[in-house]
Amino acid sequence: MKKCFISAIMALTAMAAQAQTAYNISGTASPEIKKVYLFYVEKRRSIVDSAEVKSGSFQLKGSLPQNAILAVGTSDHAALFFNDGTPLKVSLPDLTLKGSALNEKLNGYDREMTPIDDEINSIMTKARAGQFSQAQMDSVVNVYQSLSERKEARQIAIVRENLDNMIPVIYLGDLVHSLSYEQLKEFCNESRPYYNHQSMLTLIMQRDNLAKRQPGMMFTDMTIPDMDGKEHKLSEWLGKGQYVMIDFWASWCGPCRQEMPNVVANYTKYHEKGFEIIGISFDRTAEPWKKSVEQMNMKWPQLSDLGYWQSAAAGVYGINSIPASILFDGSGKIIATNLRGEKLGEKLKELYGF
């Protein structure tokens, strides 16, 4: 985690030192729009400028970091662009813009992806409002999953179509937890023109985190206390001739708790054949951790330094989201990661033959 912290500080310093570039945006808006805003997308869409719409027209001028990702419009209707210094002419009614070749190309992609995003957002809004019956949910989930997969596939294709320009930074942030290590190495390559963009920090950290737990690597030993405060080394279990899975979880993690019955079932099925699990919790206090272990019938060894995301395990194995797991063979070599749901049972069946 120290390395991640230092990287974050360096990135913030780089942002502060970034060259400022002027923006000059003129455009037209629908009669009902009285004010237009300039959003800094990388800073949680914070508003950095605004202009009154007069006789259907508006203009914005100022300066912001070069190649900052910006959007102009309203909170729910805005056109995306890079601050590259080229004046922009924007038509908000249809979200089209004229400017540099890069921004015009990005605008085409943005308008292509908008209908998919609108469908996904509509489903989420209706689901939160309870507008779907229980009988409808399976169908709704299937539609949502299909749309999400379609969006992800197109985003990856757009990235690959634009490895020679800045456009990938627009889409890589959405894909960070979907990309494999090989894809991250491909896209987070220092030769890419967008590599040093401030939006790449999360992608680079994810690449470096995954590099710590790739199949074929031997385990990294570490010392961490159990529920009684007694310290243990992972080498007490790893490299002893049996398959061992380290399960990274926390009592406060909803998806971890949802997955736990599956983990318990597989442990019960294969433990007598030599399968072992080592639980490493990212809890902050002992009481909810211990209570959850008992409630969920987790009978395998449990370890935690109660460090939350600053847990030593997070740094050693590059864990930045949970649930997460690493499966080791008898020699202590990584053979699989993040086996959840049916994948865990399928892998253990492959290893044990039943």
Side-chain angles (χ1 to χ4, degrees):
M1 293 301 294
K2 182 178 180 181
K3 179 181 177 183
C4 296
F5 177 76
I6 292 172
S7 298
I9 293 298
M10 291 174 64
L12 290 171
T13 303
M15 286 169 58
Q18 234 177 339
Q20 298 288 298
T21 298
Y23 59 84
N24 185 349
I25 308 163
S26 59
T28 57
S30 302
E32 69 274 10
I33 297 177
K34 305 303 181 185
K35 198 170 188 177
V36 168
Y37 300 92
L38 185 64
F39 302 95
Y40 201 144
V41 175
E42 299 147 86
K43 294 186 176 182
R44 300 179 181 271
R45 290 182 69 91
S46 59
I47 297 172
V48 292
D49 201 353
S50 64
E52 301 291 335
V53 178
K54 299 179 180 179
S55 301
S57 299
F58 66 89
Q59 187 162 32
L60 292 158
K61 289 185 177 182
S63 61
L64 284 168
Q66 184 175 4
N67 286 323
I69 303 170
L70 307 176
V72 60
T74 63
S75 59
D76 58 357
H77 191 76
L80 201 63
F81 65 95
F82 288 105
N83 186 37
D84 61 5
T86 302
L88 284 175
K89 291 186 177 181
V90 182
S91 171
L92 288 185
D94 57 5
L95 292 181
T96 58
L97 59 78
K98 296 293 182 183
S100 65
L102 178 69
N103 276 328
E104 290 182 12
K105 188 176 187 181
L106 171 60
N107 182 243
Y109 289 131
D110 191 29
R111 289 186 291 116
E112 175 191 346
M113 299 302 294
T114 295
I116 302 176
D117 286 331
D118 288 346
E119 286 186 72
I120 291 173
N121 291 335
S122 176
I123 290 173
M124 291 298 293
T125 299
K126 291 177 181 178
R128 291 192 189 103
Q131 295 182 24
F132 299 119
S133 67
Q134 193 60 42
Q136 293 175 310
M137 284 309 297
D138 285 345
S139 175
V140 170
V141 169
N142 288 337
V143 171
Y144 178 85
Q145 185 65 28
S146 177
L147 286 169
S148 298
E149 290 173 357
R150 177 181 160 199
K151 176 181 177 179
E152 182 178 305
R154 184 59 184 131
Q155 286 178 321
I156 291 174
I158 291 172
V159 169
R160 286 213 164 97
E161 291 167 11
N162 293 278
L163 294 175
D164 61 347
N165 61 58
M166 298 297 293
I167 286 176
V169 300
I170 300 292
Y171 301 101
L172 284 172
D174 281 350
L175 295 167
V176 60
H177 293 298
S178 302
L179 297 174
S180 68
Y181 177 59
E182 293 303 319
Q183 288 173 317
L184 283 166
K185 285 200 300 182
E186 176 188 0
F187 299 147
C188 300
N189 186 302
E190 292 184 17
S191 67
R192 307 299 185 200
Y194 55 82
Y195 182 83
N196 290 317
H197 193 279
Q198 61 194 41
S199 292
M200 289 297 294
L201 175 62
T202 301
L203 275 295
I204 293 168
M205 288 173 61
Q206 178 72 347
R207 178 201 64 190
D208 294 345
N209 283 333
L210 290 181
K212 299 176 181 180
R213 54 182 193 271
Q214 286 303 295
M217 297 175 62
M218 294 299 293
F219 78 93
T220 300
D221 208 0
M222 59 176 294
T223 301
I224 188 166
D226 65 15
M227 297 175 75
D228 296 319
K230 180 181 178 182
E231 292 196 337
H232 294 270
K233 288 184 176 294
L234 295 181
S235 52
E236 292 176 31
W237 298 279
L238 297 171
K240 303 296 185 182
Q242 61 185 349
Y243 292 107
V244 179
M245 185 176 78
I246 298 182
D247 182 44
F248 302 92
W249 71 289
S251 66
W252 48 261
C253 168
C256 299
R257 299 182 73 95
Q258 291 170 7
E259 175 66 13
M260 205 56 69
N262 178 56
V263 179
V264 170
N266 280 285
Y267 178 79
T268 301
K269 183 175 181 179
Y270 294 104
H271 181 58
E272 289 187 358
K273 298 297 181 180
F275 178 54
E276 186 59 275
I277 299 176
I278 307 299
I280 296 184
S281 168
F282 282 43
D283 274 275
R284 285 178 278 197
T285 54
E287 185 177 350
W289 169 39
K290 294 179 180 180
K291 185 176 180 180
S292 295
V293 168
E294 182 178 356
Q295 286 177 336
M296 293 188 287
N297 199 32
M298 301 160 67
K299 297 186 179 299
W300 50 88
Q302 293 288 337
L303 309 174
S304 181
D305 56 13
L306 301 177
Y308 193 46
W309 290 114
Q310 284 69 48
S311 167
V316 170
Y317 285 103
I319 305 299
N320 59 358
S321 65
I322 51 175
S325 63
I326 306 175
L327 182 63
F328 299 85
D329 68 10
S331 70
K333 183 185 297 183
I334 297 174
I335 57 174
T337 59
N338 294 338
L339 295 171
R340 296 175 62 183
E342 294 180 356
K343 290 182 179 180
L344 176 57
E346 290 169 356
K347 185 64 178 180
L348 294 175
K349 181 178 181 180
E350 173 191 324
L351 296 175
Y352 289 101
F354 69 97

